[in-house]
Amino acid sequence: MHTVDDYYCPHCVSVRPGNWGDLYPAVQRNRIKWIGKTLQSKSRFMSFPQTLYYKSKAQEQRDSQTIKAHVEKSVGLSQSKQYLTFMWRQEDSFRRAEQLYPFATNVLIPDIALFLGLHLKNFQYRNAQHDVRFLMRWDSERLHQLLGNVTDCALGSAFAEVYADTSRTSMTYDCFGWRVREEPPDTVKDFPRFAAHHTVDSFDYDKRVNLAVFYMEVGRILVTDRLHGSLLAAMLNIKHIPMENLTKKTYGCRQVAFDNDACSSFFVKVHSNIEGALSELY
């Protein structure tokens, strides 16, 4: 296992982590263009830990050939591993990348969020407003239609079924679709950590971490299909129930990060459906 620091280079173009593939085509096209431009200038290109996911195997092969062509036209295949480093946060992504990009240095590295480390030590968990907060994806990676009225209907029915044979009927919950970039809700704007600003910049990561933690604080228990929601909850020792998303990165990334004796308490079950998640609440 490696860390990002093992591959640091001062003359380097790096791209932030996330999804590598055709889920977000425009992002991938630009990424591949940057690889070409970077190698042409004899600089090093490094992608931070990614999840590899293609809906189209044909597109997967086309992208691989395009990147290979960029390498051949610039630094050459004999030197390409010195210039091209791809980091992967899941075992299956890493293995597939070794097949697709044998001309690059492919390394398996835990998700970048885990490097927040001591930055999170100053966060204090506030009194929760609900027993459960559902913090769910809203984009093309979601597997669970849990937004708006659909959320309330689905969860109401699921709660009724799970607790039908129990005496507990007073559990409260709320649902939230976590968008990466957005204006903080009114309840956040008077919160001390946000007193000086009402918007969150794409690259203002400190404020974005603050906002993410605030979203998680609403519930005593967090149920989320957001990878970073579950990772932050684990690091903050928040009781949480992770759910899977389209690219299976919740399980894959947690396995790379936590699947050993020292971290066994963090390696909890990842659920594929809402009924399974709810069954753990009681």
Side-chain angles (χ1 to χ4, degrees), residues 227-271:
L227 167 65
H228 293 129
S230 75
L231 292 182
L232 286 173
M235 289 188 286
L236 290 165
N237 200 30
I238 296 172
K239 181 174 174 57
H240 64 289
I241 300 171
M243 297 183 65
E244 198 50 273
N245 48 60
L246 178 65
T247 62
K248 305 295 189 291
K249 60 187 172 186
T250 301
Y251 177 83
C253 293
R254 290 179 69 99
Q255 183 180 41
V256 169
F258 301 138
D259 194 13
N260 59 63
D261 291 341
C263 298
S264 59
S265 62
F266 288 113
F267 197 69
V268 297
K269 182 177 181 180
V270 177
H271 291 275

Side-chain angles (χ1 to χ4, degrees), residues 7 56 59 123 163 181 190 195 200 207 243 257 276 282:
Y7 294 89
S56 167
Q59 186 62 50
F123 286 100
Y163 293 104
R181 301 181 188 91
D190 295 327
V200 181
K207 294 185 180 70
M243 297 183 65
Y282 181 68

Side-chain angles (χ1 to χ4, degrees), residues 2-4 6-8 20 35 39 44-50 52 67 71 75-89 93-109:
H2 300 273
T3 68
V4 173
D6 295 333
Y7 294 89
Y8 172 75
W20 176 286
I35 291 174
L39 297 182
R44 186 172 174 179
F45 183 93
M46 178 171 62
S47 70
F48 276 51
Q50 306 270 347
L52 194 156
I67 296 171
V71 169
V75 298
L77 290 174
S78 63
Q79 299 186 74
S80 58
K81 291 195 174 188
Q82 302 175 42
Y83 288 92
L84 202 54
T85 300
F86 296 151
M87 301 181 186
W88 308 102
R89 58 189 181 182
S93 294
F94 170 65
R95 297 302 175 197
R96 184 59 180 154
E98 287 191 311
Q99 298 172 347
L100 291 168
Y101 319 115
F103 44 81
T105 298
N106 292 288
V107 290
L108 183 63
I109 289 181

Side-chain angles (χ1 to χ4, degrees), residues 115-123 205-207 209-210:
F115 293 91
L116 285 168
L118 294 177
H119 176 72
L120 296 175
K121 70 178 182 180
N122 295 322
F123 286 100
Y205 293 111
D206 185 61
K207 294 185 180 70
V209 170
N210 276 298

Side-chain angles (χ1 to χ4, degrees), residues 173-203:
Y173 68 89
D174 105 314
C175 314
F176 188 77
W178 184 354
R179 289 168 170 79
V180 175
R181 301 181 188 91
E182 66 177 10
E183 175 123 350
D186 291 337
T187 53
V188 177
K189 292 179 179 179
D190 295 327
F191 190 44
R193 297 203 290 260
F194 292 93
H197 50 274
H198 287 178
T199 58
V200 181
D201 244 0
S202 293
F203 296 100

